[in-house]
């Protein structure tokens, strides 16, 4: 879907037509999935406030267990984190993890949030779960290193930090 949305960006007329179509869908067939795609389109054209409104709408109308509603919440959290609005970001992240405790996107966002807000206990719990679910998570290992170092476990912290650097090197092609 993101590939198709990116292709639309090449043509300004197509962007306007896509927004009109997405507005038609969201208005006439309100559904978390339609609102998720509408929000994604707004993000691609740097209209984050509009994107946040669509994601919020989609999350609010989603039934428990609805994956599109979940992605509306994670996308909303990403916007808030980018804007350093940690209170609203935390609300979105907590909603995600309440319904989907093992969602790796939500856990990654929680790690990012709790690193920024320096909430050690929450950071450690989320980082531990993330590393357990995704052993190759550089962010998870980096967060574990930070927590372990703060607790005085320098050797264990060093292991996690080394693993994070190794994984980050693979990701960037180094």
């Amino acid at each position: 879907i993101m590939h198709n949305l990116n292709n639309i960006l090449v043509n300004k007329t197509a962007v306007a037509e896509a927004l009109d179509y997405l507005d038609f869908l969201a208005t006439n067939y309100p559904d978390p999935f339609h609102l998720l795609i509408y929000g994604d389109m707004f993000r691609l054209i740097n209209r984050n406030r509009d994107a946040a409104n669509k994601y919020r709408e989609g999350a609010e109308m989603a039934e428990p267990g609805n994956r599109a509603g979940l992605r509306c919440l994670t996308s909303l959290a990403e916007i808030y984190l980018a804007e350093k609005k940690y209170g609203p970001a935390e609300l979105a992240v907590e909603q995600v993890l309440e319904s989907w405790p093992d969602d790796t996107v939500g856990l990654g966002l929680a790690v990012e949030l709790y690193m920024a807000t320096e909430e050690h206990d929450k950071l450690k719990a989320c980082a531990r779960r993330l590393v357990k679910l995704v052993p190759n998570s550089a962010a998870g290992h980096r967060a574990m290193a930070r927590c372990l170092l703060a607790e005085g476990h320098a050797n264990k912290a060093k292991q996690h930090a080394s693993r994070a650097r190794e994984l980050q090197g693979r990701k960037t092609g180094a």
Side-chain angles (χ1 to χ4, degrees), residues 102-117:
D102 291 336
D103 180 72
T104 57
V105 173
L107 285 168
L109 291 168
V111 164
E112 182 180 343
L113 170 68
Y114 299 134
M115 289 266 282
T117 59

Side-chain angles (χ1 to χ4, degrees), residues 115-133:
M115 289 266 282
T117 59
E118 299 183 9
E119 294 181 65
H120 179 82
D121 292 339
K122 290 179 179 180
L123 174 62
K124 186 174 181 182
C126 290
R128 182 176 282 142
R129 277 201 344 249
L130 183 58
V131 168
K132 182 179 177 187
L133 292 167

Side-chain angles (χ1 to χ4, degrees), residues 22-172:
L22 290 167
D23 185 58
F24 171 81
L25 281 178
T27 301
N28 295 296
Y29 305 99
D31 174 85
F33 182 74
H34 295 151
L35 291 161
L36 173 64
I37 302 306
Y38 202 0
D40 288 346
M41 185 67 192
F42 277 132
R43 276 182 83 184
L44 286 172
I45 59 174
N46 296 316
R47 289 176 52 185
N48 285 342
R49 179 174 285 152
D50 291 322
N53 288 335
K54 295 305 170 192
Y55 293 143
R56 196 175 304 105
E57 230 181 294
E60 288 171 358
M61 81 168 39
E63 297 291 324
N66 182 294
R67 294 293 290 182
L70 168 73
R71 288 300 156 233
C72 284
L73 283 170
T74 57
S75 297
L76 189 57
E78 288 171 350
I79 290 172
Y80 289 143
L81 284 170
E83 296 173 348
K84 298 185 181 345
K85 294 180 179 176
Y86 299 126
E90 185 169 23
L91 290 174
V93 166
E94 286 177 353
Q95 277 185 272
V96 168
L97 296 179
E98 184 179 303
S99 298
W100 303 81
D102 291 336
D103 180 72
T104 57
V105 173
L107 285 168
L109 291 168
V111 164
E112 182 180 343
L113 170 68
Y114 299 134
M115 289 266 282
T117 59
E118 299 183 9
E119 294 181 65
H120 179 82
D121 292 339
K122 290 179 179 180
L123 174 62
K124 186 174 181 182
C126 290
R128 182 176 282 142
R129 277 201 344 249
L130 183 58
V131 168
K132 182 179 177 187
L133 292 167
V134 186
N136 291 335
S137 168
H141 283 285
R142 195 169 27 260
M144 283 301 300
R146 183 175 179 172
C147 292
L148 290 166
L149 188 60
E151 294 173 352
H153 303 290
N155 287 335
K156 288 181 182 179
K158 186 176 179 180
Q159 291 171 351
H160 281 282
S162 294
R163 182 71 177 136
R165 278 192 303 277
E166 175 189 320
L167 292 166
Q168 191 63 39
R170 275 192 215 155
K171 187 176 178 181
T172 59

